[in-house]
Amino acid sequence: MRKKLLLLSVVLISTLNYAQETPSRIKVYTPSGVSNGSSKSSKDNSYKWAVKTDLFGIVSGEFPLIGEYRFAPKFSVEASAGVTYAYLPNAFLANDNNGSGLDSGNTKAGMGTAFRGAIKFYPSSDYDAIEGWNFGIQVFSKTTNREYSETGDGAALINGLKDSKTKTGLSLIIGKQIFQDSNVTFESFIGVGFASVKREYSSLDSVYNNSTSSYSYNVTTTSLTETKPNVQFGLRIGFGN
Protein backbone atom coordinates (compact mmCIF):
# COMPACT_ATOMS: atom_id res chain seq x y z
CA MET A 1 0.00 0.00 0.00
CA ARG A 2 2.84 2.34 0.95
CA LYS A 3 4.51 1.62 -2.44
CA LYS A 4 1.28 2.41 -4.31
CA LEU A 5 0.86 5.76 -2.51
CA LEU A 6 4.50 6.63 -3.26
CA LEU A 7 4.07 5.76 -6.94
CA LEU A 8 0.82 7.80 -7.19
CA SER A 9 2.53 10.81 -5.57
CA VAL A 10 5.42 10.64 -8.05
CA VAL A 11 3.01 10.49 -11.02
CA LEU A 12 0.93 13.46 -9.69
CA ILE A 13 4.01 15.60 -9.04
CA SER A 14 5.39 14.81 -12.52
CA THR A 15 2.06 15.71 -14.17
CA LEU A 16 1.81 19.07 -12.36
CA ASN A 17 5.41 19.87 -13.21
CA TYR A 18 4.78 19.13 -16.93
CA ALA A 19 1.64 21.26 -16.92
CA GLN A 20 3.56 24.23 -15.54
CA GLU A 21 6.32 23.92 -18.11
CA THR A 22 4.03 23.34 -21.13
CA PRO A 23 1.85 26.36 -22.15
CA SER A 24 -1.84 25.66 -22.48
CA ARG A 25 -3.36 25.97 -25.94
CA ILE A 26 -6.91 27.27 -26.28
CA LYS A 27 -8.65 26.92 -29.63
CA VAL A 28 -10.51 30.09 -30.58
CA TYR A 29 -13.45 29.73 -32.92
CA THR A 30 -13.82 32.70 -35.31
CA PRO A 31 -17.06 33.53 -37.10
CA SER A 32 -17.39 32.71 -40.78
CA GLY A 33 -15.71 35.30 -43.00
CA VAL A 34 -13.23 36.46 -40.32
CA SER A 35 -9.62 35.41 -40.78
CA ASN A 36 -7.47 34.21 -37.85
CA GLY A 37 -5.58 37.04 -36.16
CA SER A 38 -7.78 39.71 -37.72
CA SER A 39 -11.04 41.34 -36.71
CA LYS A 40 -11.78 42.66 -40.19
CA SER A 41 -14.53 40.86 -42.03
CA SER A 42 -13.90 39.65 -45.55
CA LYS A 43 -17.35 40.94 -46.42
CA ASP A 44 -17.38 44.51 -47.74
CA ASN A 45 -19.74 46.50 -45.52
CA SER A 46 -18.62 49.97 -46.62
CA TYR A 47 -21.00 52.39 -48.32
CA LYS A 48 -21.38 51.94 -52.06
CA TRP A 49 -23.84 54.65 -53.12
CA ALA A 50 -25.47 57.88 -52.02
CA VAL A 51 -28.27 60.14 -53.23
CA LYS A 52 -28.03 63.80 -52.23
CA THR A 53 -29.06 67.37 -52.90
CA ASP A 54 -27.08 70.59 -52.40
CA LEU A 55 -28.33 73.18 -49.90
CA PHE A 56 -25.94 75.86 -51.20
CA GLY A 57 -27.20 75.15 -54.71
CA ILE A 58 -30.81 75.67 -53.62
CA VAL A 59 -29.92 79.03 -52.07
CA SER A 60 -28.28 80.13 -55.34
CA GLY A 61 -31.22 78.96 -57.47
CA GLU A 62 -30.09 75.44 -58.45
CA PHE A 63 -32.15 72.40 -57.43
CA PRO A 64 -30.00 69.30 -58.11
CA LEU A 65 -30.47 65.58 -57.62
CA ILE A 66 -27.03 64.03 -57.11
CA GLY A 67 -26.07 60.37 -57.30
CA GLU A 68 -22.72 58.91 -56.29
CA TYR A 69 -21.56 55.31 -56.85
CA ARG A 70 -18.35 53.59 -55.77
CA PHE A 71 -16.79 51.61 -58.63
CA ALA A 72 -13.45 50.84 -56.93
CA PRO A 73 -12.21 50.72 -53.29
CA LYS A 74 -11.00 54.33 -53.41
CA PHE A 75 -12.85 55.80 -56.40
CA SER A 76 -16.40 56.89 -57.11
CA VAL A 77 -18.31 58.50 -59.96
CA GLU A 78 -20.84 61.24 -59.35
CA ALA A 79 -23.56 62.69 -61.59
CA SER A 80 -26.02 65.51 -61.02
CA ALA A 81 -29.01 66.85 -62.90
CA GLY A 82 -31.34 69.62 -61.87
CA VAL A 83 -33.28 72.73 -62.73
CA THR A 84 -32.39 76.35 -62.05
CA TYR A 85 -34.60 79.24 -61.07
CA ALA A 86 -33.06 82.69 -61.40
CA TYR A 87 -33.81 84.43 -58.12
CA LEU A 88 -31.34 87.18 -59.07
CA PRO A 89 -30.89 88.83 -62.48
CA ASN A 90 -28.28 87.36 -64.80
CA ALA A 91 -24.85 88.95 -64.62
CA PHE A 92 -24.41 92.45 -66.03
CA LEU A 93 -28.12 93.00 -66.69
CA ALA A 94 -28.77 96.71 -67.18
CA ASN A 95 -31.53 98.91 -68.48
CA ASP A 96 -29.91 101.79 -70.29
CA ASN A 97 -31.97 103.57 -72.90
CA ASN A 98 -29.12 105.92 -73.81
CA GLY A 99 -27.03 103.27 -75.56
CA SER A 100 -24.16 103.35 -73.05
CA GLY A 101 -24.96 99.94 -71.57
CA LEU A 102 -26.95 96.77 -72.16
CA ASP A 103 -30.55 97.56 -72.98
CA SER A 104 -32.02 94.25 -71.80
CA GLY A 105 -35.53 95.27 -70.90
CA ASN A 106 -37.64 94.14 -67.98
CA THR A 107 -37.28 90.49 -66.96
CA LYS A 108 -38.71 87.97 -64.51
CA ALA A 109 -37.30 84.73 -63.12
CA GLY A 110 -37.30 81.75 -65.50
CA MET A 111 -36.36 78.08 -65.47
CA GLY A 112 -33.07 76.59 -66.68
CA THR A 113 -31.03 73.41 -66.32
CA ALA A 114 -27.83 72.28 -64.60
CA PHE A 115 -25.70 69.16 -65.15
CA ARG A 116 -22.55 68.05 -63.35
CA GLY A 117 -20.29 65.01 -63.43
CA ALA A 118 -17.23 64.11 -61.35
CA ILE A 119 -14.71 61.38 -60.61
CA LYS A 120 -13.62 61.39 -56.96
CA PHE A 121 -10.71 59.78 -55.10
CA TYR A 122 -10.89 58.93 -51.38
CA PRO A 123 -7.33 58.61 -49.98
CA SER A 124 -8.15 57.80 -46.34
CA SER A 125 -6.82 54.49 -44.98
CA ASP A 126 -9.59 54.49 -42.35
CA TYR A 127 -12.43 54.31 -44.88
CA ASP A 128 -13.19 52.93 -48.29
CA ALA A 129 -14.93 55.19 -50.78
CA ILE A 130 -17.35 56.88 -50.32
CA GLU A 131 -16.43 58.15 -46.83
CA GLY A 132 -13.89 60.66 -45.60
CA TRP A 133 -11.84 63.24 -47.48
CA ASN A 134 -12.05 63.24 -51.25
CA PHE A 135 -10.45 64.91 -54.26
CA GLY A 136 -11.81 65.01 -57.77
CA ILE A 137 -12.38 66.59 -61.14
CA GLN A 138 -15.81 67.98 -62.00
CA VAL A 139 -17.25 69.08 -65.35
CA PHE A 140 -20.39 71.17 -65.34
CA SER A 141 -22.90 73.11 -67.39
CA LYS A 142 -25.38 75.51 -65.79
CA THR A 143 -27.93 77.70 -67.56
CA THR A 144 -29.93 80.43 -65.85
CA ASN A 145 -32.74 82.17 -67.69
CA ARG A 146 -34.85 85.25 -67.16
CA GLU A 147 -37.91 85.82 -69.30
CA TYR A 148 -38.73 89.25 -70.72
CA SER A 149 -41.83 90.90 -69.33
CA GLU A 150 -42.12 94.17 -71.23
CA THR A 151 -45.35 96.15 -71.38
CA GLY A 152 -46.54 98.64 -73.93
CA ASP A 153 -45.97 98.87 -77.66
CA GLY A 154 -43.80 96.18 -79.17
CA ALA A 155 -43.96 94.00 -76.05
CA ALA A 156 -45.39 91.07 -78.01
CA LEU A 157 -42.18 90.91 -80.05
CA ILE A 158 -39.85 90.33 -77.08
CA ASN A 159 -42.01 88.68 -74.44
CA GLY A 160 -41.40 84.94 -74.47
CA LEU A 161 -37.71 85.38 -75.29
CA LYS A 162 -35.09 84.75 -72.62
CA ASP A 163 -32.09 86.52 -71.22
CA SER A 164 -29.79 83.52 -70.83
CA LYS A 165 -26.42 82.84 -69.19
CA THR A 166 -24.67 79.47 -69.59
CA LYS A 167 -21.55 78.49 -67.64
CA THR A 168 -19.60 75.48 -68.91
CA GLY A 169 -16.35 74.51 -67.28
CA LEU A 170 -14.00 72.31 -65.28
CA SER A 171 -13.18 72.39 -61.55
CA LEU A 172 -10.84 70.69 -59.13
CA ILE A 173 -12.81 69.81 -56.01
CA ILE A 174 -11.91 68.87 -52.44
CA GLY A 175 -14.45 67.79 -49.87
CA LYS A 176 -15.35 65.52 -47.00
CA GLN A 177 -18.29 63.16 -46.71
CA ILE A 178 -19.52 61.53 -43.50
CA PHE A 179 -22.30 59.07 -42.76
CA GLN A 180 -24.48 58.90 -39.66
CA ASP A 181 -25.82 55.69 -38.10
CA SER A 182 -29.16 56.25 -39.80
CA ASN A 183 -27.41 56.18 -43.23
CA VAL A 184 -27.80 59.95 -43.55
CA THR A 185 -24.85 61.54 -45.31
CA PHE A 186 -23.40 65.05 -45.13
CA GLU A 187 -20.82 66.43 -47.53
CA SER A 188 -19.12 69.80 -47.83
CA PHE A 189 -16.75 70.76 -50.62
CA ILE A 190 -15.13 73.58 -52.54
CA GLY A 191 -14.36 73.64 -56.26
CA VAL A 192 -11.92 75.94 -58.08
CA GLY A 193 -11.52 76.15 -61.84
CA PHE A 194 -12.50 78.00 -65.00
CA ALA A 195 -15.75 78.45 -66.88
CA SER A 196 -16.75 79.66 -70.32
CA VAL A 197 -19.64 82.07 -69.76
CA LYS A 198 -21.99 82.68 -72.68
CA ARG A 199 -24.54 85.47 -72.34
CA GLU A 200 -27.39 85.98 -74.78
CA TYR A 201 -29.75 88.90 -74.35
CA SER A 202 -32.27 90.80 -76.46
CA SER A 203 -33.27 94.41 -76.74
CA LEU A 204 -36.41 96.03 -78.14
CA ASP A 205 -35.64 98.92 -80.46
CA SER A 206 -38.08 101.49 -81.73
CA VAL A 207 -37.79 103.58 -84.92
CA TYR A 208 -39.98 106.63 -85.61
CA ASN A 209 -41.40 106.85 -89.12
CA ASN A 210 -41.98 110.48 -90.11
CA SER A 211 -44.16 109.62 -93.06
CA THR A 212 -46.65 107.68 -90.96
CA SER A 213 -46.00 109.52 -87.69
CA SER A 214 -45.73 106.19 -85.88
CA TYR A 215 -43.13 103.87 -84.37
CA SER A 216 -41.98 100.54 -85.71
CA TYR A 217 -40.30 97.97 -83.44
CA ASN A 218 -37.70 95.26 -83.89
CA VAL A 219 -35.79 92.90 -81.58
CA THR A 220 -31.99 92.66 -81.59
CA THR A 221 -30.27 89.64 -80.02
CA THR A 222 -26.68 89.89 -78.79
CA SER A 223 -24.32 87.10 -77.71
CA LEU A 224 -21.20 87.54 -75.57
CA THR A 225 -18.71 84.86 -74.46
CA GLU A 226 -15.82 85.12 -72.02
CA THR A 227 -13.70 82.80 -69.86
CA LYS A 228 -13.66 83.50 -66.14
CA PRO A 229 -12.38 81.88 -62.92
CA ASN A 230 -15.07 79.84 -61.20
CA VAL A 231 -15.44 79.04 -57.49
CA GLN A 232 -18.11 76.68 -56.21
CA PHE A 233 -19.19 75.81 -52.67
CA GLY A 234 -21.34 72.83 -51.74
CA LEU A 235 -23.18 71.66 -48.63
CA ARG A 236 -24.97 68.42 -49.40
CA ILE A 237 -27.33 66.18 -47.48
CA GLY A 238 -28.82 62.83 -48.45
CA PHE A 239 -28.75 59.13 -47.67
CA GLY A 240 -26.75 56.11 -48.77
CA ASN A 241 -26.00 52.45 -48.27
Side-chain angles (χ1 to χ4, degrees), residues 77-90:
V77 61
E78 185 177 83
S80 170
V83 297
T84 62
Y85 187 76
Y87 298 129
L88 301 175
N90 288 336

PDB file of all heavy atoms in Angstrom, residues 77-90:
ATOM      1  N   VAL A  77     -17.845  57.618 -58.894  1.00  0.00           N
ATOM      2  CA  VAL A  77     -18.309  58.496 -59.957  1.00  0.00           C
ATOM      3  C   VAL A  77     -19.575  59.181 -59.476  1.00  0.00           C
ATOM      4  O   VAL A  77     -20.394  58.576 -58.775  1.00  0.00           O
ATOM      5  CB  VAL A  77     -18.558  57.702 -61.268  1.00  0.00           C
ATOM      6  CG1 VAL A  77     -19.635  56.646 -61.071  1.00  0.00           C
ATOM      7  CG2 VAL A  77     -18.936  58.647 -62.399  1.00  0.00           C
ATOM      8  N   GLU A  78     -19.708  60.443 -59.824  1.00  0.00           N
ATOM      9  CA  GLU A  78     -20.836  61.242 -59.347  1.00  0.00           C
ATOM     10  C   GLU A  78     -21.491  61.971 -60.519  1.00  0.00           C
ATOM     11  O   GLU A  78     -20.794  62.496 -61.393  1.00  0.00           O
ATOM     12  CB  GLU A  78     -20.348  62.257 -58.309  1.00  0.00           C
ATOM     13  CG  GLU A  78     -21.435  63.067 -57.643  1.00  0.00           C
ATOM     14  CD  GLU A  78     -20.868  63.985 -56.573  1.00  0.00           C
ATOM     15  OE1 GLU A  78     -20.387  65.081 -56.933  1.00  0.00           O
ATOM     16  OE2 GLU A  78     -20.852  63.585 -55.391  1.00  0.00           O
ATOM     17  N   ALA A  79     -22.808  61.993 -60.539  1.00  0.00           N
ATOM     18  CA  ALA A  79     -23.558  62.687 -61.589  1.00  0.00           C
ATOM     19  C   ALA A  79     -24.684  63.475 -60.955  1.00  0.00           C
ATOM     20  O   ALA A  79     -25.269  63.055 -59.947  1.00  0.00           O
ATOM     21  CB  ALA A  79     -24.107  61.698 -62.611  1.00  0.00           C
ATOM     22  N   SER A  80     -24.993  64.622 -61.553  1.00  0.00           N
ATOM     23  CA  SER A  80     -26.016  65.508 -61.018  1.00  0.00           C
ATOM     24  C   SER A  80     -26.821  66.114 -62.153  1.00  0.00           C
ATOM     25  O   SER A  80     -26.265  66.509 -63.179  1.00  0.00           O
ATOM     26  CB  SER A  80     -25.363  66.628 -60.192  1.00  0.00           C
ATOM     27  OG  SER A  80     -26.303  67.628 -59.849  1.00  0.00           O
ATOM     28  N   ALA A  81     -28.118  66.176 -61.953  1.00  0.00           N
ATOM     29  CA  ALA A  81     -29.014  66.851 -62.899  1.00  0.00           C
ATOM     30  C   ALA A  81     -30.036  67.633 -62.098  1.00  0.00           C
ATOM     31  O   ALA A  81     -30.490  67.190 -61.033  1.00  0.00           O
ATOM     32  CB  ALA A  81     -29.704  65.845 -63.814  1.00  0.00           C
ATOM     33  N   GLY A  82     -30.384  68.810 -62.603  1.00  0.00           N
ATOM     34  CA  GLY A  82     -31.339  69.624 -61.872  1.00  0.00           C
ATOM     35  C   GLY A  82     -31.866  70.767 -62.700  1.00  0.00           C
ATOM     36  O   GLY A  82     -31.502  70.940 -63.866  1.00  0.00           O
ATOM     37  N   VAL A  83     -32.731  71.537 -62.088  1.00  0.00           N
ATOM     38  CA  VAL A  83     -33.284  72.728 -62.725  1.00  0.00           C
ATOM     39  C   VAL A  83     -32.774  73.954 -61.982  1.00  0.00           C
ATOM     40  O   VAL A  83     -32.363  73.875 -60.816  1.00  0.00           O
ATOM     41  CB  VAL A  83     -34.828  72.703 -62.725  1.00  0.00           C
ATOM     42  CG1 VAL A  83     -35.340  71.542 -63.545  1.00  0.00           C
ATOM     43  CG2 VAL A  83     -35.373  72.640 -61.301  1.00  0.00           C
ATOM     44  N   THR A  84     -32.764  75.076 -62.665  1.00  0.00           N
ATOM     45  CA  THR A  84     -32.387  76.345 -62.052  1.00  0.00           C
ATOM     46  C   THR A  84     -33.564  77.300 -62.091  1.00  0.00           C
ATOM     47  O   THR A  84     -34.441  77.206 -62.960  1.00  0.00           O
ATOM     48  CB  THR A  84     -31.186  76.982 -62.776  1.00  0.00           C
ATOM     49  OG1 THR A  84     -31.556  77.267 -64.138  1.00  0.00           O
ATOM     50  CG2 THR A  84     -29.992  76.040 -62.771  1.00  0.00           C
ATOM     51  N   TYR A  85     -33.572  78.206 -61.130  1.00  0.00           N
ATOM     52  CA  TYR A  85     -34.600  79.240 -61.068  1.00  0.00           C
ATOM     53  C   TYR A  85     -33.894  80.528 -60.676  1.00  0.00           C
ATOM     54  O   TYR A  85     -33.331  80.631 -59.577  1.00  0.00           O
ATOM     55  CB  TYR A  85     -35.680  78.883 -60.051  1.00  0.00           C
ATOM     56  CG  TYR A  85     -36.861  79.819 -60.051  1.00  0.00           C
ATOM     57  CD1 TYR A  85     -37.815  79.748 -61.056  1.00  0.00           C
ATOM     58  CD2 TYR A  85     -37.017  80.774 -59.048  1.00  0.00           C
ATOM     59  CE1 TYR A  85     -38.907  80.602 -61.061  1.00  0.00           C
ATOM     60  CE2 TYR A  85     -38.100  81.626 -59.046  1.00  0.00           C
ATOM     61  CZ  TYR A  85     -39.048  81.540 -60.054  1.00  0.00           C
ATOM     62  OH  TYR A  85     -40.127  82.392 -60.056  1.00  0.00           O
ATOM     63  N   ALA A  86     -33.887  81.492 -61.568  1.00  0.00           N
ATOM     64  CA  ALA A  86     -33.059  82.690 -61.397  1.00  0.00           C
ATOM     65  C   ALA A  86     -33.697  83.666 -60.410  1.00  0.00           C
ATOM     66  O   ALA A  86     -34.465  84.542 -60.791  1.00  0.00           O
ATOM     67  CB  ALA A  86     -32.835  83.365 -62.742  1.00  0.00           C
ATOM     68  N   TYR A  87     -33.350  83.468 -59.118  1.00  0.00           N
ATOM     69  CA  TYR A  87     -33.811  84.435 -58.118  1.00  0.00           C
ATOM     70  C   TYR A  87     -33.301  85.838 -58.442  1.00  0.00           C
ATOM     71  O   TYR A  87     -34.026  86.826 -58.366  1.00  0.00           O
ATOM     72  CB  TYR A  87     -33.282  84.062 -56.729  1.00  0.00           C
ATOM     73  CG  TYR A  87     -33.738  82.735 -56.194  1.00  0.00           C
ATOM     74  CD1 TYR A  87     -32.806  81.822 -55.713  1.00  0.00           C
ATOM     75  CD2 TYR A  87     -35.080  82.392 -56.143  1.00  0.00           C
ATOM     76  CE1 TYR A  87     -33.204  80.605 -55.200  1.00  0.00           C
ATOM     77  CE2 TYR A  87     -35.483  81.179 -55.627  1.00  0.00           C
ATOM     78  CZ  TYR A  87     -34.546  80.289 -55.156  1.00  0.00           C
ATOM     79  OH  TYR A  87     -34.945  79.084 -54.643  1.00  0.00           O
ATOM     80  N   LEU A  88     -32.000  85.900 -58.795  1.00  0.00           N
ATOM     81  CA  LEU A  88     -31.344  87.176 -59.073  1.00  0.00           C
ATOM     82  C   LEU A  88     -31.186  87.352 -60.572  1.00  0.00           C
ATOM     83  O   LEU A  88     -31.132  86.376 -61.323  1.00  0.00           O
ATOM     84  CB  LEU A  88     -29.965  87.213 -58.406  1.00  0.00           C
ATOM     85  CG  LEU A  88     -29.967  87.023 -56.884  1.00  0.00           C
ATOM     86  CD1 LEU A  88     -28.527  86.959 -56.381  1.00  0.00           C
ATOM     87  CD2 LEU A  88     -30.731  88.140 -56.206  1.00  0.00           C
ATOM     88  N   PRO A  89     -31.092  88.603 -61.043  1.00  0.00           N
ATOM     89  CA  PRO A  89     -30.888  88.832 -62.484  1.00  0.00           C
ATOM     90  C   PRO A  89     -29.583  88.212 -62.956  1.00  0.00           C
ATOM     91  O   PRO A  89     -28.645  88.023 -62.191  1.00  0.00           O
ATOM     92  CB  PRO A  89     -30.831  90.361 -62.588  1.00  0.00           C
ATOM     93  CG  PRO A  89     -31.524  90.854 -61.373  1.00  0.00           C
ATOM     94  CD  PRO A  89     -31.237  89.854 -60.299  1.00  0.00           C
ATOM     95  N   ASN A  90     -29.528  87.852 -64.224  1.00  0.00           N
ATOM     96  CA  ASN A  90     -28.278  87.364 -64.797  1.00  0.00           C
ATOM     97  C   ASN A  90     -27.207  88.440 -64.706  1.00  0.00           C
ATOM     98  O   ASN A  90     -27.493  89.634 -64.602  1.00  0.00           O
ATOM     99  CB  ASN A  90     -28.487  86.978 -66.264  1.00  0.00           C
ATOM    100  CG  ASN A  90     -29.298  85.711 -66.407  1.00  0.00           C
ATOM    101  OD1 ASN A  90     -29.329  84.887 -65.496  1.00  0.00           O
ATOM    102  ND2 ASN A  90     -29.957  85.553 -67.535  1.00  0.00           N
TER     103      ASN A  90
END
